[in-house]
Amino acid sequence: MKTKLFSVIFFFGMITTFAQSVNYNTKKNYIAKGYDVVAYFDNQAIEGDKAYTTIYDNVKFKFSSEDNLKAFKNDPKKYIPQYGGYCAYAVAVSSKKVDINPKTFEIRDGKLYLFYNSWGNNTLKSWKKNNVKGLQKKADKNWEAMNLDE
């Protein structure tokens, strides 16, 4: 009986563990390609410095200052980019994990959204031209489904 109970607890524990893991965009070995996720909230896209790094949720983060590193450590969930740091617009419209340009971002409703911007295709502009609230809801739903598929 104890073995069966342990097996059931272990099984549900493993399901919970895997269900909570997020697939992060870690190009250049860091989230947001090494840009300071706290600086975005001051409307600045600043590349982080290796002197100010931390790991959260098994992902490396780089910051431009000790103050920003401390701010992140005090409330990491506040600063983590939506959709694992993939392009918010691509997640919304096509359920795809598309890389980003770390200089193309938006803070909306207290959350960080990153976007693809290359070869004349700035998805932040497309995001803003369309129903942003609708895109956010669609991206949230798509992201949840995308992570269940993995």
Side-chain angles (χ1 to χ4, degrees), residues 32 35-45 102 105 107 112 114:
Y35 275 64
D36 184 337
V37 295
V38 174
Y40 286 124
F41 287 81
D42 291 326
N43 204 34
Q44 298 178 328
F105 69 97
I107 302 296
L112 171 59
L114 299 171

Side-chain angles (χ1 to χ4, degrees), residues 3-107:
T3 304
K4 285 184 181 179
L5 181 60
F6 175 77
S7 295
V8 169
I9 292 170
F10 178 78
F11 176 74
F12 284 108
M14 292 303 290
I15 288 174
T16 304
T17 300
F18 288 118
Q20 291 175 347
S21 67
V22 173
N23 181 311
Y24 291 99
N25 181 358
T26 54
K27 299 284 180 172
K28 295 192 177 183
N29 297 318
Y30 293 91
I31 196 86
K33 294 188 175 182
Y35 275 64
D36 184 337
V37 295
V38 174
Y40 286 124
F41 287 81
D42 291 326
N43 204 34
Q44 298 178 328
I46 302 172
E47 193 164 0
D49 184 320
K50 285 184 180 181
Y52 309 110
T53 62
T54 193
I55 295 175
Y56 177 80
D57 203 14
N58 295 318
V59 177
K60 292 194 292 186
F61 291 80
K62 235 184 338 181
F63 303 91
S64 58
S65 70
E66 181 73 26
D67 287 342
N68 285 5
L69 172 60
K70 286 178 184 176
F72 179 83
K73 285 183 173 182
N74 286 334
D75 191 3
K77 290 182 181 180
K78 174 181 177 180
Y79 299 105
I80 293 174
Q82 298 301 293
Y83 319 121
Y86 290 98
C87 174
Y89 185 76
V91 170
V93 299
S94 61
S95 296
K96 298 216 184 218
K97 294 176 182 173
V98 173
D99 199 16
I100 52 96
N101 177 326
K103 294 180 182 179
T104 309
F105 69 97
E106 178 182 50
I107 302 296

Side-chain angles (χ1 to χ4, degrees), residues 124-148:
L124 174 58
K125 288 181 181 178
S126 300
W127 173 265
K128 287 181 175 181
K129 273 197 294 190
N130 292 293
N131 172 6
V132 173
K133 290 292 183 192
L135 287 172
Q136 284 175 304
K137 286 179 184 176
K138 191 171 180 187
D140 289 345
K141 185 177 178 181
N142 289 349
W143 184 247
E144 185 176 324
M146 290 165 68
N147 281 299
L148 289 176

